[in-house]
Amino acid sequence: EADIYQTPRYLVIGTGKKITLECSQTMGHDKMYWYQQDPGMELHLIHYSYGVNSTEKGDLSSESTVSRIRTEHFPLTLESARPSHTSQYLCASSVHSPGANVLTFGAGSRLTVL
Amino acid sequence: AQKVTQAQTEISVVEKEDVTLDCVYETRDTTYYLFWYKQPPSGELVFLIRRNSFDEQNEISGRYSWNFQKSTSSFNFTITASQVVDSAVYFCALSEALGTSYDKVIFGPGTSLSVIP
């Protein structure tokens, strides 16, 4: 059973609405990530965090923003959703230690903007 | 530039056939990690294996095996005697140094495997 939870799993909203995708993990991981997965399956890193009060932009430019006020919580917000934001958003976390870390993923949030 | 290529977009095999998923990577780092993840229809990516750049030993885990060859920058994944439950999208990934903590994981485009009963 996953220790990283994403809500909502599915969301259909109209253009211009503000939305927040929630991501929480119970593993005490310092590092957290948001990936955007387009219909062609490819995953793109859009945000990551090393710990509380740390946020960085990933490789793919995104109009979304993130915050990291608590270790376990890494929400993603879109202030004004557009159809181009329609995608699957995957949250992940990993421990903070030297060496490459295995990512633990949530089940994803599938967003559709009409 | 760092890049992961999975040339096979979709593969279909009949159950019990062997199948190899190709992965070719590019990096200028001498120290890096390679991964395979599986994404079943439920959507959640599951970690399968991690290999560091200094360890070229092949690995076998049940019906799964991995062939890492630095000379060709490849990290191929073979499923022996495939089963319907192996149907999923498989991602190869590369982790390069970012400072000293290997934070950035770059994924390939994925290979969708369908195992037909």
Side-chain angles (χ1 to χ4, degrees):
Chain A
E1 189 172 335
D3 294 313
I4 183 164
Y5 305 96
Q6 291 187 241
T7 57
R9 287 292 313 277
Y10 303 93
L11 180 62
V12 181
I13 60 167
T15 297
K17 300 290 186 184
K18 176 180 179 179
I19 65 110
T20 296
L21 304 180
E22 303 287 350
C23 177
S24 295
Q25 48 97 4
T26 59
M27 298 170 285
H29 287 172
D30 287 314
K31 292 194 277 191
M32 296 189 74
Y33 314 78
W34 276 103
Y35 284 86
Q36 184 173 340
Q37 185 173 28
D38 60 29
M41 305 181 299
E42 197 157 353
L43 287 112
H44 300 285
L45 180 66
I46 52 174
H47 300 283
Y48 59 101
S49 167
Y50 291 110
V52 171
N53 294 325
S54 152
T55 60
E56 304 285 345
K57 289 194 177 294
D59 296 321
L60 182 68
S61 176
S62 174
E63 293 166 348
S64 60
T65 59
V66 292
S67 62
R68 191 89 184 275
I69 299 172
R70 303 198 315 265
T71 298
E72 62 271 21
H73 197 212
F74 191 40
L76 180 146
T77 299
L78 276 165
E79 291 292 333
S80 180
R82 295 205 300 272
S84 60
H85 297 138
T86 293
S87 191
Q88 164 111 305
Y89 293 85
L90 294 166
C91 183
S93 70
S94 68
V95 298
H96 183 63
S97 64
N101 303 303
V102 173
L103 300 178
T104 301
F105 280 88
S109 292
R110 185 170 294 282
L111 173 65
T112 301
V113 184
L114 304 176
Chain B
Q2 292 72 28
K3 187 178 177 182
V4 177
T5 301
Q6 295 178 255
Q8 305 147 309
T9 305
E10 295 181 5
I11 301 176
S12 287
V13 298
V14 177
E15 199 170 21
K16 297 184 183 175
E17 285 184 350
D18 299 346
V19 58
T20 295
L21 310 182
D22 297 332
C23 173
V24 174
Y25 62 93
E26 295 175 29
T27 179
R28 282 186 240 174
D29 287 350
T30 56
T31 305
Y32 51 89
Y33 282 78
L34 295 162
F35 306 80
W36 277 94
Y37 286 83
K38 173 183 180 180
Q39 187 177 34
S42 60
E44 189 172 324
L45 274 92
V46 176
F47 165 75
L48 295 177
I49 190 172
R50 176 182 63 188
R51 172 68 73 229
N52 74 53
S53 52
F54 297 113
D55 182 3
E56 285 194 73
Q57 278 192 334
N58 292 332
E59 181 153 341
I60 298 174
S61 176
R63 295 184 297 106
Y64 294 172
S65 62
W66 291 270
N67 183 2
F68 176 30
Q69 292 193 344
K70 282 179 80 169
S71 60
T72 56
S73 296
S74 64
F75 186 44
N76 296 338
F77 172 30
T78 297
I79 301 174
T80 303
S82 59
Q83 300 176 2
V84 173
V85 293
D86 296 327
S87 296
V89 180
Y90 291 86
F91 291 93
C92 182
L94 166 70
S95 179
E96 53 182 9
L98 186 71
T100 58
S101 57
Y102 296 93
D103 289 312
K104 206 169 180 181
V105 181
I106 298 164
F107 285 83
T111 297
S112 178
L113 174 65
S114 297
V115 181
I116 303 163

